[in-house]
Amino acid sequence: MKAIFCILSITLSFFCYAQKEFQPDGVTIIETIDGDLDGDQIPEKVIVYNTKDSTEYGNIREIQILKKVNEKWTILEKSRNAILKSNDGGMMGDPYQSTEIKNGILMITQAGGSSWKWGYTDKYRFQNGRFELIGYSSGSGKPEEYWIDIDFNLSTGKLIFEKEVENTKEYGDSRKETVIKKGIKLNLQNRNQKGRIEVLLPKTKEKIYL
């Protein structure tokens, strides 16, 4: 029992040291998770911070992915663009929901709104030396009005759109459309950096925003 406790203490101390080594000044930790993200069977550490740097939309968030190389932690990648600011959720406040690792994919979920609500999950894979956005799924709308679900595989370009309408008098009938839209290149560094990317669906004429 003492040996196990000792090993856990050493491991925890080592990680705490690595965490503090790269931790920006004045931040608080929102979430820490681990999992293999680059396929080498060695877990990476993912840390989400709330920084002291603020804007009109609240505090800037930073995500760091730490990798152990030769028993030393290094930053595989970090970004202040992939996670929304602390007040970007509108009336719901903080939009940050969770970060997960599933089958080597980094998944970041965020949501917001008021009576009209929205939420989405970004899916990143480590490829070409960085974390590229390979998937996007979202839901948005308002009860008794309509609800939109989107599933976009950026790797294949397949985008599935579904709009379920309750208030048909104002919004028309429910509709579905599947299109192929290739060529959108997003990653941890340029996500949310500029204006939203617009995709116009040719059949329904609905507009999708990323």
Side-chain angles (χ1 to χ4, degrees):
M1 181 64 72
K2 288 184 178 180
I4 294 175
F5 180 76
C6 182
I7 292 171
L8 288 174
S9 298
I10 293 172
T11 302
L12 182 60
S13 298
F14 186 67
F15 173 58
C16 288
Y17 171 77
Q19 183 173 289
K20 290 182 180 298
E21 183 180 5
F22 304 112
Q23 181 172 304
D25 293 335
V27 302
T28 55
I29 296 174
I30 300 175
E31 190 167 15
T32 301
I33 61 171
D34 58 14
D36 182 19
L37 287 166
D38 61 0
D40 63 358
Q41 308 303 312
I42 301 173
E44 278 68 53
K45 298 288 183 182
V46 180
I47 310 170
V48 180
Y49 294 107
N50 188 61
T51 77
K52 64 180 181 180
D53 301 319
S54 61
T55 70
E56 60 180 313
Y57 299 107
N59 291 78
I60 294 172
R61 268 63 192 277
E62 179 172 315
I63 183 170
Q64 292 186 357
I65 297 101
L66 305 183
K67 177 177 178 60
K68 190 183 290 186
V69 179
N70 297 326
E71 299 303 317
K72 181 177 175 61
W73 289 101
T74 61
I75 294 180
L76 183 59
E77 192 164 355
K78 65 179 180 178
S79 173
R80 290 194 169 194
N81 297 318
I83 297 179
L84 299 175
K85 299 174 182 64
S86 60
N87 293 329
D88 273 337
M91 292 292 291
M92 290 178 64
D94 190 346
Y96 181 78
Q97 302 293 303
S98 66
T99 296
E100 300 177 80
I101 297 173
K102 291 184 179 180
N103 300 320
I105 303 300
L106 180 66
M107 305 171 64
I108 301 173
T109 299
Q110 304 179 86
S114 54
S115 57
W116 290 88
K117 294 179 171 56
W118 56 267
Y120 67 89
T121 298
D122 282 338
K123 301 175 184 178
Y124 296 90
R125 177 188 291 136
F126 187 71
Q127 56 190 27
N128 302 315
R130 61 185 179 183
F131 285 89
E132 297 183 348
L133 188 69
I134 63 164
Y136 169 86
S137 58
S138 71
S140 61
K142 180 181 179 181
E144 300 182 358
E145 299 292 335
Y146 66 79
W147 190 260
I148 293 175
D149 285 309
I150 297 167
D151 185 19
F152 188 11
N153 185 325
L154 279 78
S155 296
T156 64
K158 186 176 181 179
L159 190 158
I160 302 172
F161 169 88
E162 185 171 351
K163 184 174 186 178
E164 184 176 343
V165 179
E166 292 189 55
N167 185 353
T168 56
K169 182 177 180 180
E170 185 169 352
Y171 300 105
D173 295 331
S174 298
R175 63 211 73 155
K176 299 180 182 180
E177 187 170 357
T178 299
V179 299
I180 300 298
K181 177 65 177 179
K182 294 185 177 182
I184 296 178
K185 303 295 184 181
L186 292 171
N187 53 63
L188 276 181
Q189 300 305 319
N190 64 13
R191 187 71 169 111
N192 304 311
Q193 194 172 27
K194 299 179 179 180
R196 296 183 299 172
I197 294 174
E198 177 184 303
V199 178
L200 177 63
L201 302 182
K203 181 180 177 181
T204 60
K205 304 304 180 184
E206 295 278 356
K207 293 180 179 180
I208 306 302
Y209 297 96
L210 278 75

